[in-house]
Each structure stands twice: as structure tokens, then as C-alpha cells.
Amino acid sequence: MTEAELIQSARSGDQNAFAQLVTANQTMVYNLAYRMTGNPDDAADLTQEAFLNAWKGLARFQGHASFSTWLYRLTSNACIDFLRRARRQETVSMTVEDEEEDHQAQIPDHRYSPERELERQEAHRALQEGLSALSPEHRQVLLLRELEGLSYQEIARCLDLEEGTVKSRIARARMALRDFLVRSGNFFGAPSSKD
């Protein structure tokens, strides 16, 4: 079945058709959620939320853009809402029971602390600088593989290249990015066995 046929069947209530759409897009949705939150558990929850929203809103899908583009938007919105809620909640409240009375213990949630946010921003900046230092061909294949989650075969089809060419470009791009990050002091390679 084509994507359009799967969407039409899913709109009619066919859960198997929707399951095929989920399978085709789950890696992309999870990768986006993970990039936005930086936490694998949150990304998994938000992936489920995005697909649940897609199932509920399938009747509103117009088809002007591709299904994956629509899913990108649903996932981004779910992540943005999640991050806004998380920032408002600066501490996690936990009740500690005592024989005489209940006490509220305030435990800071360090996932969203200013220090962690600064570390994330600095890492993001260093990564962006490293990606900018790559040749356009290397940057393109690396982004398609690592950020979009496309397979080597899908990248080869998209760029009209041989799969072997895609693999070698990605390997060279990763090495060049790693070398840039090591030189700029933002990445430390594995210690050698001689140390």
C-alpha cells in the first residue's frame, strides 16, 4: 500500500494501516524528540504522545504536506509543550511520611538546571561550528543519517548516489567532525591503551 492508501485506511479506523505508518516514521519521531529533550525516556514518552495525537487528529490531516512533515510538527509541538511544563516545575515535590505529620521535601530537578542548560547550549554551539566546518557534501549526508534517521539506502536514493559512496562520506564526515571537536577542546577521544 502507498502512504496515501495507508492514511485513507487509517482514517477509516484500520489500526493495522496506522501501525504501518508508525513503523515507517517512529525512528524519525523519536530522534526529533530526543534532540529536543536530550533525554531518552522523555523522548520515548513524547514519541508515543505524538503518535497518539496523530491517531486522534488523522481526520484533520489535509495532505498538503507529507505525512512525515505533519508528524514533525506534532512532535515538535509536543516537545515544546513538555519543555515549557518542565521549566515551570523547578523542583520535584516528594512527600515523606512521619509518625506525627507529613513533611514536604523539595528535591531539585537538575535536568533543567541553568548549569545543564549552559552545557547543552555550549555543546550545541560546538556541534554547529563543527558541522559548519564540514564540506556541504559531508554535512548533508551526516545530517540525513544522524538527525533525520535515514538509512544508507534512503540517503543514496535521495541524493542519487551509490550506497558505498554514502557510507564513505558519512565515515569521513564523522571523522572530520570528531577531529574538529577534539581540536577545539569540546570532545575528548578514548584514552589510548598506552596511557
Side-chain angles (χ1 to χ4, degrees), residues 38-131:
N39 181 293
D41 295 330
D42 293 338
D45 290 344
L46 289 163
T47 297
Q48 286 185 325
E49 183 177 334
F51 281 117
L52 181 62
N53 290 341
W55 175 252
K56 290 178 181 176
L58 205 52
R60 292 189 309 270
F61 175 63
Q62 300 295 316
H64 299 301
S66 70
F67 185 73
S68 61
T69 301
W70 184 61
L71 274 176
Y72 254 104
R73 190 171 67 247
L74 290 175
T75 306
S76 295
N77 290 343
C79 291
I80 289 167
D81 290 345
F82 168 80
L83 292 171
R84 284 181 183 150
R85 286 190 307 268
R87 287 210 170 98
R88 273 188 248 137
Q89 179 186 17
E90 293 182 20
T91 59
V92 177
S93 179
M94 195 166 77
T95 303
V96 179
E97 295 198 20
D98 193 338
E99 291 177 12
E100 297 173 8
E101 60 186 69
D102 288 344
H103 297 281
Q104 286 291 100
Q106 296 296 318
I107 300 172
D109 185 354
H110 293 290
R111 290 184 304 168
Y112 306 102
S113 70
E115 295 85 8
R116 292 287 301 251
E117 184 60 30
L118 182 60
E119 288 172 5
R120 271 194 285 275
Q121 288 174 1
E122 288 177 359
H124 180 72
R125 180 193 50 75
L127 186 59
Q128 291 294 44
E129 288 175 5
L131 287 171

